[in-house]
Amino acid sequence: MIESVLVANRGEIALRVIRCAKEMGIRTVAVFSEADRTSPHVLCADEAYPIGPARASESYLATDRLLRAARRSGVEAVHPGYGFLAERDDFAEAVVGAGLVFVGPSAATIRAMGDKTEARRRMAAAGVPVVPGTDGPLASAREAREAAEAVGFPVVLKAVAGGGGKGMRVVRGGEDAGSAFEAAAREAAAAFGDGSVYVERFLERPRHIEIQIFGDRHGGAVHLHERECSIQRRHQKLVEEAPSPLLGPEERRRMGEAAVRAARAVDYTGAGTVEFLYAGGEFFFLEMNTRLQVEHPVTEMVTGLDLVEWQFRVAAGEPLPLRQEKIPLRGHAIECRITSESPFDGFLPATGTVGEMVVPGGPGVRWDGGIAGGTGIGLHYDPLLGKLVTWAPRRTGAIRRMERALGELRIDGVATSAPLLRRIMREPDFLAGRLSTAYLAEHPDLFETGVSGGEGEVLAVAAALLEHTRRQGRTAPRIRRAGMPLSAWQRGGGGGGGWEPRPGGQRAGPFDPGRAWAEERR
Ligand code: MV4
């Protein structure tokens, strides 16, 4: 087994990996920037090394500094987490070149899957369905027009070096293909240093379903079922779940088999994800992500397996712990991403210092977070504070549990996405599993706050006062001994889940004029 690991990451994923390593008896080494001196991942590790200033390019993205820390600490392996250097083939190569174990796939696999046209070619050759489109990059605007016409409109132009939606351009008619090509190529060159662009048929309102895969160094490959990730905003996922509410056992089996073919086609080792678009009863390969994903806990909850433990075992050269038929699928799990963003304010990034926190608990509830009271939230890194995950035998139970848990969650000192997530947990289309990548765009009411000045504001205040008076009459008084400060539980408000009542509910909660207004209008 691996005896020591440096975790080349921060926040919740660094903590997640360190927790697993500790349970396996692996010595853990954290790294931290000047902004993360007292972060939980640093405090939790056996040892921690400073790697530079807050700016990621001079710390978490600085291969030389990470490798220096690895050498000084004498670790045997490096776990990249996700983001930062996790999908950089040159980093994987540098780690292996330094005589260390890279906990992830080979540099060659990362490189092949990073080129989206090569990925398409390899998948098509392996019998994995791909979206109709071009095999390679387009040489000119004229070629783009011709390719678009051959594929059939609407089409989408994508960066060969892209992924994650950056630089995508949808084209609905022939006249626009040339100018879209020029724009997409320019954007791709600026974003990725490679202006190559290819074309695919554009699927309308697809669902995003991905399959968790695992491969070992002995030719073994399995899948751990799917995750439904359709609720996204600008290619950032907000809610993920497993299994997908609308996938039948037959489709699940076919998608799983296609994902395993994909894994075998690139000699995959470690944890990976095959992303599919699902539209009109068909599924198509989209991309392969050569890392552990943010949303891996929903897979862990429905399989009962520890994916990070599997990563370490595979990296140590062990065969996969289970055969395909033995991989369980039990119950339903949902994950909500809690980010430091103001959802009702255009997702404006929020900053601050985490004050008092209440982390939800109880049966079927998991909190994977990277913050604690006192943690500073700035603008240097990704806004993900933590992930709230619930499990129950059925989907409705997991949703109710999530709503309950979001109600318990309190993060004072910084605005979070939690109030929006709580609204989603009550929204009829979500409850019915009517999901697509257009879900948020098609539900603008989720973002309504109701107080927007003028007449509306007067009405909102009136409605809110009415609601407040009604509630005062029927809720138990809050107990507060003289001189005792209110705890976060008693106080309500703050930046966490907020204690929004259910429509018509009777719970005490902070006064929320927007909510009261929306309810009054119904
Ligand atoms: C597509 C598509 C429709 N047709 N490709 C967006 C992220 C990037 N990984 C690929 N994306 C898409 N590719 C074809 N041929 C629609 C999207 C897309 C999307 C995909 C998954 C999840 C959310 C999305 C939101 C908008 C567009």
Side-chain angles (χ1 to χ4, degrees), residues 135-344:
D135 278 344
L138 303 157
S140 66
R142 195 165 69 89
E143 214 178 289
R145 228 175 7 252
E146 286 167 4
E149 245 137 58
V151 167
F153 292 101
V155 299
V156 54
L157 294 165
K158 295 184 176 182
V160 169
K166 218 184 272 175
M168 268 177 47
R169 274 266 182 327
V170 178
V171 186
R172 300 196 175 268
E175 344 50 271
D176 302 330
S179 56
F181 169 82
E182 306 286 2
R186 232 183 357 257
E187 225 170 280
F192 309 110
D194 174 358
S196 313
V197 168
Y198 69 105
V199 71
E200 276 181 5
R201 163 91 49 77
F202 182 68
L203 308 172
E204 309 270 6
R205 296 182 80 246
R207 286 167 49 204
H208 175 134
I209 301 179
E210 57 186 33
I211 306 271
Q212 177 69 53
I213 54 159
F214 249 98
D216 64 23
R217 294 188 207 283
H218 310 278
V222 295
H223 70 83
L224 281 67
H225 317 296
E226 83 280 8
R227 293 184 288 260
E228 165 81 57
C229 306
S230 291
I231 301 197
Q232 313 209 355
R233 178 190 170 271
R234 298 197 182 162
H235 311 302
Q236 296 296 316
K237 296 165 185 164
L238 273 78
V239 180
E240 303 100 340
E241 58 184 294
S244 168
L246 292 178
L247 207 62
E250 180 59 20
E251 288 170 307
R252 172 169 301 114
R253 193 183 54 75
R254 280 175 39 226
M255 243 189 203
E257 285 173 5
V260 171
R261 282 200 298 278
R264 291 192 190 285
V266 295
D267 292 322
Y268 203 85
T269 56
T273 295
V274 185
E275 294 188 350
F276 291 101
L277 288 182
Y278 183 96
E282 283 186 273
F283 62 85
F284 304 94
F285 171 81
L286 187 60
E287 282 170 26
M288 185 189 279
N289 299 322
T290 53
R291 61 170 191 275
L292 184 73
Q293 302 218 158
V294 174
E295 59 271 28
H296 76 276
V298 294
T299 298
E300 298 188 316
M301 300 286 263
V302 296
T303 59
L305 303 170
D306 184 328
L307 269 55
V308 180
E309 181 189 342
W310 276 41
Q311 284 189 298
F312 280 124
R313 292 196 178 284
V314 164
E318 289 184 22
L320 291 169
L322 288 177
R323 288 191 318 220
Q324 188 64 59
E325 318 79 70
K326 296 281 183 189
I327 292 168
L329 176 57
R330 190 173 154 262
H332 201 97
I334 298 185
E335 172 178 284
C336 281
R337 295 194 186 188
I338 311 299
T339 59
S340 52
E341 293 172 309
S342 301
F344 307 130

Side-chain angles (χ1 to χ4, degrees), residues 330-399:
R330 190 173 154 262
H332 201 97
I334 298 185
E335 172 178 284
C336 281
R337 295 194 186 188
I338 311 299
T339 59
S340 52
E341 293 172 309
S342 301
F344 307 130
D345 215 354
F347 281 83
L348 198 72
T351 59
T353 300
V354 176
E356 212 169 328
M357 263 186 83
V358 178
V359 169
V365 175
R366 167 172 171 182
W367 169 252
D368 271 26
I371 56 167
T375 303
I377 309 300
L379 296 173
H380 282 288
Y381 312 115
D382 180 285
L384 187 70
L385 302 175
K387 303 164 331 197
L388 191 54
V389 192
T390 59
W391 180 94
R394 283 192 300 276
R395 186 171 187 265
T396 47
I399 294 171

Side-chain angles (χ1 to χ4, degrees), residues 421-463:
L421 294 162
R422 195 140 183 243
R423 286 187 181 186
I424 294 171
M425 294 302 123
R426 297 176 186 141
E427 194 284 313
D429 285 333
F430 178 76
L431 290 170
R434 284 190 290 268
L435 310 174
S436 86
T437 49
Y439 175 87
L440 287 179
E442 291 173 358
H443 293 84
D445 45 318
L446 287 168
F447 298 90
E448 244 169 62
T449 53
V451 264
S452 54
E455 197 183 349
E457 190 164 336
V458 174
L459 282 171
V461 170

